Amino acid sequence: VFSSVTSVLNMSIFKDQFVLEDLIQEFKKKSTALSFGPLQSNGHISVQGSFPAIKLLRDFLVLKAKSLSEKNKREASKSHQRPRRRLQQHGLTAQTSNFVHDADGKKQAVVLDTDIYRYMKHFFPRTFLVNDDVVISDITDGDITTVYIENAGSRSDAGQVLKVKENIENQSIKLHKALRKERIYFEKHTRDQKQRCKWACKSLNPRYPYVLIFFFDTHIDVIGDSSDIFEFRKEVSS
């Protein structure tokens, strides 16, 4: 979940709207944690980095493509030709974490690794503590959880939503650098061995207060910093 991955992005859909080289340079400035390969003639480019960072960039590009498609439909009757425009002339910023918003900025979304999200909810609940004017909801899809922050109050101030979003982002970045996950499989375990393993994890948990444990039928997931996870796994296996 936390290892480096490589993905290939198809940028060709933006070639009629932007100068691709400028668009990629803007991504490089905003996504310093990612490594970009050379732009290919077919518009493809390889990106390497953490899974959450790449997922944020990909989702941003998907939404940008959808917005361009809708804009093209609205302007189709006005013009049959569209000049190539530079990114700066559009007044857009490639903020990979701020990829969902409404017209007045009162709704934001952050994409998180599901394990990091669970760890934050368990150990850092104040990150999601908001007043009556802000509502937080989430949708989990496998390894990815999208957190939506929305202004539900009568005031039109979007600052509260942005502050909550920034707190979530900053905490997730810190955890992403520190957390590791170990998975203990039950493939060759008998029923009694599974129970003993679960009991060992539960009994050790008080000694490792910042380790989060999830029990499943086929395995156990253990999440925490690298030193705690190493010692925890060693004691469970002994």
Side-chain angles (χ1 to χ4, degrees), residues 9 11 15 23 63 91 94 107 120 124 128 141 155 216:
L9 301 178
M11 305 291 293
K15 65 181 181 180
L23 188 61
L63 287 177
K107 183 176 182 180
M120 290 174 63
F124 302 94
F128 302 95
D141 182 11
R155 293 178 295 177
F216 301 92

Side-chain angles (χ1 to χ4, degrees), residues 184-220:
I184 304 172
Y185 289 98
F186 291 148
E187 295 173 344
K188 299 180 180 180
H189 288 56
T190 65
R191 183 174 181 179
D192 289 341
Q193 288 175 326
K194 291 179 182 180
Q195 291 300 323
R196 284 197 295 269
C197 189
K198 290 181 179 180
W199 178 86
C201 289
K202 292 179 180 179
S203 63
L204 286 171
N205 210 183
R207 293 170 51 189
Y208 298 89
Y210 294 105
V211 168
L212 187 61
I213 305 173
F214 292 103
F215 296 95
F216 301 92
D217 292 336
T218 58
H219 63 274
I220 299 174

Side-chain angles (χ1 to χ4, degrees), residues 82-130:
R82 184 180 300 274
R84 290 157 61 93
R85 303 186 220 180
R86 302 184 73 83
L87 183 67
Q88 293 81 355
Q89 292 174 335
H90 258 295
L92 301 176
T93 56
Q95 297 179 358
T96 58
S97 57
N98 181 18
F99 66 91
V100 176
H101 58 86
D102 57 12
D104 52 11
K106 293 192 294 183
K107 183 176 182 180
Q108 304 286 338
V110 182
V111 176
L112 301 173
D113 180 283
T114 296
D115 290 322
I116 290 179
Y117 173 69
R118 290 172 177 170
Y119 196 93
M120 290 174 63
K121 288 278 287 186
H122 187 83
F123 291 110
F124 302 94
R126 292 181 62 85
T127 306
F128 302 95
L129 186 63
V130 295

Side-chain angles (χ1 to χ4, degrees), residues 50-67:
S50 68
F51 178 72
I54 288 181
K55 181 63 168 60
L56 288 172
L57 178 60
R58 191 199 69 173
D59 288 343
F60 172 81
L61 291 173
V62 169
L63 287 177
K64 183 175 286 294
K66 290 181 179 179
S67 66

Side-chain angles (χ1 to χ4, degrees), residues 34-48:
L34 295 175
S35 298
F36 292 80
L39 179 65
Q40 304 297 320
S41 58
N42 58 2
H44 291 186
I45 185 172
S46 63
V47 185
Q48 186 177 33

Side-chain angles (χ1 to χ4, degrees), residues 70-82:
E70 294 173 357
K71 187 176 181 180
N72 287 343
K73 291 179 182 179
R74 291 195 301 267
E75 296 183 358
S77 59
K78 298 180 181 179
S79 174
H80 295 289
Q81 294 182 346
R82 184 180 300 274

